[in-house]
């Protein structure tokens, strides 16, 4: 008899707890009525690394979209180029276009170790500051270019790690869409 009353007491407590959870839980709205799970910003971290040999024979420029959607272009001055851009207006164009042109310099080496590496990270955040999504784009290329073939190397029009994406929000604004 005591065990059936105890069982009934536990069942009652479980039902009340479940009802309270259903009534009180699951609402992601902040006090102002705006969902905290709405996508709010995208931080993009660009990093490009070039070999010293490559930079000795090439002028490298990187074009990227700033937070206002304006295309900016910078000349690479060292072996590593980095940029961080935060986007809060969508849709947004993000990405880079890397171009390299041959420098007018005397070629003093028989072989040039030409390499580049890209590490681009896109981090989307909800309004409450939690991470919604992270995407990474990385490439790497290593070549040995003979002194006699340097001019041909630049004529081929290599892709030096460029990437572009249009980032928009889902219709309910809870997810980032990368196209």
């Amino acid at each position: 008899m005591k065990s059936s009353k105890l069982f009934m007491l536990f069942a009652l407590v479980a039902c009340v707890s479940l009802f309270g959870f259903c009534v009180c839980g699951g609402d992601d709205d902040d006090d102002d009525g705006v969902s905290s799970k709405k996508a709010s910003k995208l931080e993009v971290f660009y990093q490009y690394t070039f070999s010293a040999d490559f930079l000795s024979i090439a002028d490298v420029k990187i074009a990227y979209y700033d937070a206002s959607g304006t295309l900016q272009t910078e000349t690479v001055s060292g072996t590593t180029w980095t940029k961080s851009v935060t986007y809060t207006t969508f849709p947004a164009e993000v990405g880079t276009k890397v171009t390299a042109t041959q420098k007018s310099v005397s070629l003093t080496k028989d072989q040039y170790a030409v390499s580049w590496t890209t590490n681009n990270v896109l981090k989307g955040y909800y309004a409450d500051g939690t991470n919604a999504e992270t995407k990474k784009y990385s490439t790497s290329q290593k070549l040995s270019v003979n002194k006699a073939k340097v001019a041909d190397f630049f004529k081929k029009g290599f892709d030096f790690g460029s990437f572009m994406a249009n980032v928009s929000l889902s219709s309910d604004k809870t997810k980032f869409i990368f196209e």
Side-chain angles (χ1 to χ4, degrees), residues 93-105:
E93 291 289 331
V94 302
T96 58
K97 173 76 174 149
V98 183
T99 56
T101 55
Q102 184 177 358
K103 284 183 177 179
S104 297
V105 295

Side-chain angles (χ1 to χ4, degrees), residues 39-47 64-67 83-90 92-95 119-126 129-137 163 165 167 169 176 178:
S40 67
K41 72 177 178 177
L42 180 71
E43 292 180 346
V44 182
F45 304 96
Y46 302 113
Q47 181 180 18
Y64 66 94
Y65 287 99
D66 66 15
K83 182 65 62 181
S84 176
V85 182
T86 300
Y87 301 89
T88 57
T89 304
F90 301 96
E93 291 289 331
V94 302
N119 290 303
N120 300 309
V121 179
L122 291 74
K123 288 186 173 186
Y125 292 93
Y126 292 121
T130 59
N131 189 307
E133 184 170 5
T134 299
K135 293 208 175 273
K136 296 179 181 181
Y137 299 94
F163 91 96
V167 181
L169 299 177
F176 292 94
F178 300 88

Side-chain angles (χ1 to χ4, degrees), residues 4-14:
S4 66
K5 285 184 180 180
L6 192 56
F7 175 76
M8 292 295 284
L9 179 62
F10 282 125
L12 181 61
V13 169

Side-chain angles (χ1 to χ4, degrees), residues 18-39:
L18 182 60
F19 178 75
F21 177 75
C22 291
V23 171
C24 297
D27 188 0
D28 286 336
D29 286 354
D30 292 331
D31 291 337
D32 62 0
V34 177
S35 173
S36 63
K37 292 301 180 189
K38 298 284 186 189

